[in-house]
Amino acid sequence: MDAIEKIIALEKTAMEAWLNGNPSPFLELYSEDFTYFDPSMENRLDGLDKIRELYEGMRGKLKTDRFEMVNPVVQLNGSMAVLSYNLDIYSGGTVWKENCTEVYSLGEDGEWRIVHSHFSPTKVGE
Amino acid sequence: MDAIEKIIALEKTAMEAWLNGNPSPFLELYSEDFTYFDPSMENRLDGLDKIRELYEGMRGKLKTDRFEMVNPVVQLNGSMAVLSYNLDIYSGGTVWKENCTEVYSLGEDGEWRIVHSHFSPTKVGE
């Protein structure tokens, strides 16, 4: 599996768990210096401790039917890569659409970790 | 000037021009494989040609008083870096706030270019 396939697989596994109430795979992927933009927050969240607190507070609360990672692209240069995709989340007959950016960085231990995430709602046509 | 200072300086110069109707510095910074999430679009924009068309259509139309790049952080690993910051744009007595992510990549020619951008409105407190 090359780096691009690896990164997409890590993301899909973590998203599948997260959208069913389990934040652990994402929390294991985040670096210590992780930075995070969320559409529901007034400020960027900086550092793994803060995201852990936020995510643990939501453990078990999220349940969705299924999701699609639409048109994922990985742009890679050496030991860093950016994965961007549209996320369609299906739940109870409705669909929620987000723009997703995940910046992955290769650690000295040979593991890819997410150093920055940016999620925002996708504009939906009138 | 180290890579982090260089990236912040490139971004500030391009943003200053863009917020006064001149897209040229940003267009010169974007890579050929540039990908872009904009809050006003239903899909990610892929490729320099598309962003050039969009930005040229807005040349001369934007005028703002001033902006602040709030709390910029650059996370760097080798030849790629992610710059994230809050952007406060002041114009005519109002302020517009955005979450900004810019992924920079160092080309073989030694120049930093933006390979991915993600802008979204910052949530404003009730």
Side-chain angles (χ1 to χ4, degrees):
Chain A
M1 199 188 290
D2 68 12
I4 290 176
E5 291 168 330
K6 173 80 179 166
I7 284 166
I8 291 176
L10 287 170
E11 183 78 13
K12 275 193 181 160
T13 300
M15 189 58 78
E16 172 78 36
W18 169 240
L19 292 177
N20 286 289
N22 176 16
S24 296
F26 264 133
L27 289 172
E28 283 158 22
L29 270 180
Y30 295 144
S31 66
E32 286 295 328
D33 67 343
F34 180 66
T35 57
Y36 178 58
F37 278 131
D38 183 283
S40 70
M41 283 185 278
E42 289 170 50
N43 294 294
R44 191 183 57 213
L45 216 71
D46 291 351
L48 182 55
D49 290 347
K50 285 187 190 162
I51 190 85
R52 188 180 284 126
E53 190 181 331
L54 177 75
Y55 274 26
E56 288 296 350
M58 295 171 75
R59 185 180 288 276
K61 294 184 182 164
L62 205 55
K63 183 81 190 83
T64 56
D65 295 334
R66 65 186 181 86
F67 73 97
E68 269 177 45
M69 188 185 281
V70 181
N71 197 17
V73 169
V74 178
Q75 293 161 276
L76 173 75
N77 186 351
S79 50
M80 230 169 159
V82 53
L83 162 64
S84 62
Y85 60 100
N86 278 99
L87 177 64
D88 289 358
I89 304 168
Y90 295 86
S91 197
T94 64
V95 57
W96 175 251
K97 290 172 179 281
E98 293 207 358
N99 298 336
C100 307
T101 297
E102 301 275 34
V103 182
Y104 280 77
S105 181
L106 190 62
E108 288 178 8
D109 60 0
E111 299 290 332
W112 285 98
R113 288 201 183 76
I114 301 173
V115 295
H116 176 76
S117 293
H118 189 154
F119 291 88
S120 66
T122 305
K123 178 189 160 77
V124 176
E126 320 288 285
Chain B
M1 197 186 293
D2 69 13
I4 290 176
E5 290 169 329
K6 173 80 179 167
I7 285 167
I8 291 175
L10 286 170
E11 182 78 13
K12 274 190 182 161
T13 300
M15 188 59 76
E16 173 78 36
W18 170 239
L19 292 177
N20 286 289
N22 175 16
S24 296
F26 264 132
L27 289 172
E28 283 158 22
L29 270 180
Y30 295 143
S31 65
E32 286 294 328
D33 67 343
F34 179 66
T35 57
Y36 178 58
F37 278 131
D38 183 283
S40 71
M41 283 187 278
E42 290 171 49
N43 295 294
R44 191 183 58 214
L45 217 70
D46 290 350
L48 182 57
D49 289 347
K50 286 187 188 160
I51 190 84
R52 186 180 285 126
E53 191 182 330
L54 177 75
Y55 274 26
E56 288 296 351
M58 295 171 73
R59 185 180 287 277
K61 294 184 180 162
L62 205 55
K63 184 80 190 81
T64 56
D65 294 335
R66 65 186 181 87
F67 73 96
E68 269 177 47
M69 188 185 281
V70 181
N71 196 17
V73 168
V74 177
Q75 293 161 277
L76 173 75
N77 186 353
S79 49
M80 229 170 158
V82 52
L83 162 64
S84 62
Y85 60 100
N86 278 99
L87 177 64
D88 289 359
I89 304 167
Y90 296 86
S91 195
T94 64
V95 58
W96 175 250
K97 290 172 179 279
E98 293 207 359
N99 297 336
C100 307
T101 297
E102 301 275 35
V103 182
Y104 280 77
S105 181
L106 190 63
E108 287 178 8
D109 59 359
E111 299 291 331
W112 286 97
R113 287 202 182 74
I114 301 173
V115 295
H116 175 77
S117 293
H118 188 154
F119 290 88
S120 66
T122 304
K123 178 189 160 76
V124 176
E126 319 288 286

